[in-house]
Amino acid sequence: MAGTLRFVLGDQLSRTVSSLRDLAEGDVVLIVEVGDEATYVRHHQRKIAFLFSAMRHFAADLRAEGISVDYVTLDDPANTASFTGELARALERHPHLDRVVVTEPGEWRVLQMMEDWESFVGRTVEVRPDDRFLCAHGEFAAYAGEAKSLRMEDFYRGMRRRTGFLMGGDKPVGGRWNLDSENREPIPRRVQAPERPRFEADETTRDVLGLVSGRFGNHFGSLENFDYPVTRADALRYLDWFADVALPNFGTYQDAMRQGEPLLFHSHLSALINCGLLLPRECCERAVAAFEADAAPLNAAEGFVRQIIGWREFVRGVYWREMPDYADRNALKAERPLPDFFWTGDTEMNCLAQSIRETAASAYAHHIQRLMVLGNFCLLAGIEPREVQEWYLVVFHDAYEWVEMPNVVGMILHADGGLFATKPYAASGNYINRMSDYCGHCRFDVKQRTGEDACPFNYLYWDFVARHRERLARNHRTSRSVSSLDRLDSERLAMMRNDARRFLDSLPSAASY
Ligand code: FAD
Ligand code: DLZ
Ligand code: SF4
């Protein structure tokens, strides 16, 4: 009897993914653990363990439904280590299957592989759209057209209209589309971050943790205290917990940072959404329901929905529109290698040390740590964009190129020349001091601009403005920084630029990684 091999990748773990939609009697679902996917960049150990465990649990859920699953483990002695090799081997095991169905991948390099599959395996290969995303490629193309600059806000309004989330007819609920101005509060000491549910590692996860520490123990990060959801049921529990407990304060403290507390009121759901255990639509529906039940304010629900149907969908559209050369953009001609401390956390700059060490421990940092601490440093220090991309792709458990790359190339580094960010997000230590308590624990003084004890973000900021003054002067959102630069005492500016040179020259590059 003929049938279909349904190849499900590690970030497609959804029962409703398009490749599983018309599953029929005799079909086989293929899921494979392959070394190449863990090492094309040397992913954080925790990300590999999370995905392998989620893949094994997903396979078990499918089998419990009576679906035939062919699951290849990493330690299978015949494992070829690649998607292509495992597809070919699977078809040898199932010669009666006469076609392959797969959902399009999240990375350009995997799409290139898929394009060769048909001729390689001698079967029809159908690559289906990934309709977990709410905006199809064609719809994004229709929105973006040939435009040289794109604005997320316009796209987002279209998505609100299309989904109907937080809409009253054709008007936004509450009268405003975007309540971001209410979402920039520092977090007062009296406000406690909520205690989170922990999802204890079961036997499957413990097996995977052993496998990963044996094979990838020299990769970045730690496997200790692994307690993240790895099943659909636990992912839904975590979403419920977020909507009930953390969402009400999500908006207000979205930009805040606190020493030792990376999660605060953030959802911590990105890795679950990106691998398929949660659907973006259901996350938004849950947040909207909380708002409608008066359990969360509008600024929280709108802020959360905007991140998902706005930013998340938008960056995915940008990635596929701009690839493959997007990866090589370097508009600011940044050429410095990534400093070694990005892998070790050994830096006296407390905000960076905290963000990097927390990332090593949990494969997570929240958006403002990624944007305004780590990203801001890479921008100001002029770190080469490909090196920054690789770091971000390695260290976060939610990282796939479609989402990592536009955030790095476009959002933090301005390496695409401002395709969608209206200005480079450059900031001095002042911003970090306002939004966090990091500076109080730091050996540097955030108020000083020059000298051994001055916060490096301060002199690096002015050095950045001076280096890029022509570009910044042309942009009405940054021209004021250039005017401020021109008002600085020239001797003082020279001292700051000297400090910046001394600091940058002293950075050890990451050759040891
Ligand atoms: P929350 O703060 O609770 O936000 C809710 C959800 O909104 C997230 O789960 C995520 O799905 C979505 N979201 C929020 N901001 C963005 C954004 N800018 N782009 C896309 N989706 C967004 N997110 C990833 O999922 N993978 C990445 O590899 C990734 N790399 C990033 C690199 C940089 C330089 C920056 C600045 C941001 C990056 N982000 C990435 C976006 C964002 O930082 C993370 O989605 C967020 O921190 C995940 O934590 P959370 O689930 O607690 O998010
Ligand atoms: C990230 C990752 C890792 C570490 N391992 C696997 C794997 O063994 N098998 C698999 O199917 N997927 C894995 N992934 C996710 C893929 O890298 C991801 O599907 C592609 O990057 C396309 O988005
Ligand atoms: Fe970061 Fe500067 Fe504050 Fe130290 S003083 S934590 S380096 S912003």
Side-chain angles (χ1 to χ4, degrees), residues 56-268:
R56 289 182 184 199
H57 282 97
F58 182 68
D61 286 350
L62 293 180
R63 284 188 179 126
E65 266 190 68
I67 296 167
S68 167
V69 181
D70 185 348
Y71 192 99
V72 180
T73 56
L74 189 79
D75 51 10
D76 179 335
N79 193 321
T80 57
S82 75
F83 282 149
T84 305
E86 286 315 291
L87 175 63
R89 258 185 2 106
L91 288 168
E92 282 167 18
R93 287 193 296 276
H94 308 285
H96 64 289
L97 300 180
D98 58 359
R99 68 171 192 146
V100 176
V101 168
V102 64
T103 294
E104 64 180 321
E107 301 196 346
W108 177 268
R109 94 197 141 79
V110 181
L111 187 63
Q112 299 305 106
M113 282 180 215
M114 285 184 182
E115 283 171 4
D116 291 337
W117 282 354
E118 211 161 71
S119 60
F120 190 73
V121 299
R123 310 280 217 290
T124 307
V125 176
E126 185 189 341
V127 181
R128 293 185 175 170
D130 189 345
D131 55 16
R132 288 175 293 167
F133 290 94
L134 305 173
C135 180
H137 295 310
E139 289 162 341
F140 192 84
Y143 147 78
E146 298 297 312
K148 290 216 164 38
S149 71
L150 303 172
R151 293 292 165 256
M152 198 289 289
E153 186 62 27
D154 309 330
F155 171 81
Y156 168 58
R157 291 181 189 189
M159 291 299 286
R160 284 275 292 280
R161 288 197 178 92
R162 174 121 60 89
T163 57
F165 290 143
L166 299 172
M167 295 294 290
D170 65 348
K171 298 247 170 355
V173 168
R176 284 190 291 157
W177 290 100
N178 183 324
L179 280 74
D180 203 27
S181 58
E182 292 172 28
N183 290 0
R184 293 175 191 151
E185 294 296 314
I187 188 163
R189 230 174 265 196
R190 65 181 158 74
V191 176
Q192 295 295 311
E195 200 172 317
R196 296 203 167 232
R198 301 192 66 224
F199 299 88
E200 292 292 335
D202 64 5
E203 201 184 328
T204 303
T205 300
R206 287 197 298 275
D207 283 352
V208 163
L209 291 170
L211 178 77
V212 171
S213 75
R215 276 287 288 273
F216 308 111
N218 59 355
H219 284 204
F220 178 74
S222 158
L223 289 171
E224 268 171 49
N225 302 319
F226 186 96
D227 62 353
Y228 199 58
V230 287
T231 64
R232 165 85 176 148
D234 280 350
L236 284 170
R237 275 180 212 116
Y238 206 24
L239 171 61
D240 278 343
W241 175 85
F242 169 68
D244 292 341
V245 181
L247 178 65
N249 279 317
F250 167 82
T252 308
Y253 303 123
Q254 202 179 343
D255 288 2
M257 297 174 283
R258 183 185 271 168
Q259 177 93 1
E261 291 194 53
L263 290 163
L264 295 173
F265 296 94
H266 287 272
S267 72
H268 202 210

Side-chain angles (χ1 to χ4, degrees), residues 462-511:
W462 289 112
D463 186 56
F464 175 85
V465 177
R467 279 198 328 266
H468 297 289
R469 67 165 294 139
E470 274 179 36
R471 175 183 288 270
L472 300 177
R474 284 198 306 269
N475 180 334
H476 74 279
R477 293 203 61 202
T478 47
S479 56
R480 273 186 31 205
S481 311
V482 177
S483 311
S484 306
L485 178 83
D486 292 341
R487 282 197 300 275
L488 285 176
D489 174 75
S490 59
E491 224 171 280
R492 209 163 152 67
L493 176 61
M495 279 163 75
M496 287 197 281
R497 297 207 66 185
N498 242 337
D499 284 337
R501 205 162 310 122
R502 169 187 52 77
F503 175 87
L504 292 172
D505 287 348
S506 73
L507 289 177
S509 73

Side-chain angles (χ1 to χ4, degrees), residues 349-352 429 432-433 438-439 442 444-446 455-457:
M349 297 174 75
N350 182 47
C351 51
L352 284 171
I432 294 171
N433 192 32
Y438 290 149
C439 302
C442 187
F444 295 109
D445 182 349
V446 72
C455 166
F457 274 109

